[in-house]
Amino acid sequence: MSTATSIIADTTAGAVQGVRTGGVVAFLGVPYAAAPVGERRFRAPEPVAPWAGVRDAVTHGPTAPMPGYPPPFDALLPNPVVAGDEYLNLSVWTPDPGAQGLPVLVWIHGGAFVNGSSAGSLWDGSAFARAGVVTVGINYRLGAEGFALLPDAPPNLGLLDQVAALKWVRDNITAFGGDPDAVTVAGESAGAMSVGALLAMPRAEGLFRRAILQSGAAHHTLTTATAERVAGYLAAELGVPPTAEALRTVPTGRVIEAQKALTVQLQNAPDPGRWGEIVANIMMFEPVVDGEVLPAPPWQRIAGGSAAEVDVLVGANRHEYRFLLVPTGVADRVEAQALAGTAAAYRLPDGALDRYQSHTPDASPGELLAEVMSDWFFRMPALRLAESHPARSYVYEFGWESPAYDGRLGACHGLELPFVFDRLDDPGARAFVGTDPPHELAAAIGRAWAAFVATGDPGWPAYTPDRRAVARFGSGTDPAVEVVDDPRGDLRALWDGIR
């Protein structure tokens, strides 16, 4: 039985006390910026005030205000809520604060830019710390607080929070055993889309050496016109002008209720005339291409060399979109006409659905819709990033299929998380992975990710136009990795010039 002992580390704002358990020292809920409340709402992150003495860092800090996942998704993705104002905080897991030069992994959580936190148990950093990687999980402002485009506030506050956290890592990680020149920034879903934005942001240059993007890449952003429209809708729901000055007078809880009301409106009437590209992107609050913080669409900036010195590991899960279609029952209600309409909206060529059907002959219209939407939303952006990035790029696909929903979830969105972080035994993972998941698969993924963080090479060939090498985890009878060149290449080719 392991015993816990207290450990103290010094940061630029003051000393923090963490706890050592089972060979890992955790410092939880350490503030990296001042609480974004009161007059600091809708302002760029400001330095945290130094403290005297030693600050406890033994429990997760407050989480950003969020609406929470609706059923049935709340059962699949644990989403803890911790009340408090100082939610611009981060947590550090390290094998030894007294070490020197350990590689660093900075994790940005997902949650569609409106949910999530670093306190989620499925991305606890202990396993990576045991593998010799100092791991940092960060919080950032969500929803309107982080991404509303207002005329009297900086754009993309959530991204600016992430940059502030990366600067904290640069300035403080040596006190936890890490090397500030060996930082990998990583994320899943909206976290991966955040990484895609960071790769394109001038303010993030030099803050990380490598990047991991899981089920998200560099295609999901809003134009200023759409973002301004959403801010106007939000303000109208609240009965105030669409300005930061006005929104500061509205309690955060009311802002979140207005966000939820807009989400219902979008779901009930997804009119492109009202919602613009959100109808396709689904997410009402995303990074905005504002021309300064985010100068251009991230995929364009990356192709132009904005992160030419950064190694990239990017990929997606085999059946991403089943996560949204199966638990809700939508997959069972999709008819051939709706499937054809989606393919037409995506501008797929004639015969494309027959091509998809040939790969899964027994698939229902709902399952085929999930295949098409998985490619549009996740797989193709990942491949486009790998194709266009000037530095080394590695591509993976996660293929182990969940037993949940009688196996119909497949290798859906988010399923790789408890494998990447070796959290298969966490009670929060059981709804996803069942009672007998393959631990050897988690070990294989963990080794690959740790190797990439340490060396920039996960252990398989880089993705190039000449050899489109993809490492597939859990796709066949062998749970470990197998390298396949250009899997489903005929489907990939359907999207040329489209996505």
Side-chain angles (χ1 to χ4, degrees), residues 179-196:
D179 181 354
D181 294 322
V183 173
T184 297
V185 63
E188 183 266 348
S189 193
M193 296 168 195
S194 296
V195 174

Side-chain angles (χ1 to χ4, degrees), residues 11-23:
T11 76
T12 52
V16 290
Q17 177 175 281
V19 61
R20 182 191 299 276
T21 306

Side-chain angles (χ1 to χ4, degrees), residues 77-97:
L77 287 176
N79 193 33
V81 173
V82 182
D85 291 340
E86 286 189 316
Y87 60 82
L88 293 186
N89 64 68
L90 51 78
S91 296
V92 182
W93 294 264
T94 176
D96 181 8

Side-chain angles (χ1 to χ4, degrees), residues 60-69 77-84 87 114-121 139 142 256:
H60 282 292
T63 54
M66 66 184 103
Y69 294 116
L77 287 176
N79 193 33
V81 173
V82 182
Y87 60 82
V114 295
N115 279 305
S117 75
S118 62
S121 62
N139 290 341
L142 302 171
I256 290 176

Side-chain angles (χ1 to χ4, degrees), residues 237-281:
E237 284 288 325
L238 294 166
V240 300
T243 65
E245 181 181 13
L247 286 174
R248 286 191 193 102
T249 68
V250 181
T252 303
R254 281 193 60 209
V255 173
I256 290 176
E257 288 304 312
Q259 289 180 199
K260 292 165 68 174
L262 291 180
T263 299
V264 172
Q265 294 174 25
L266 170 63
Q267 292 172 342
N268 290 340
D271 177 11
R274 175 171 170 81
W275 297 104
E277 66 269 26
I278 293 173
V279 171
N281 279 358

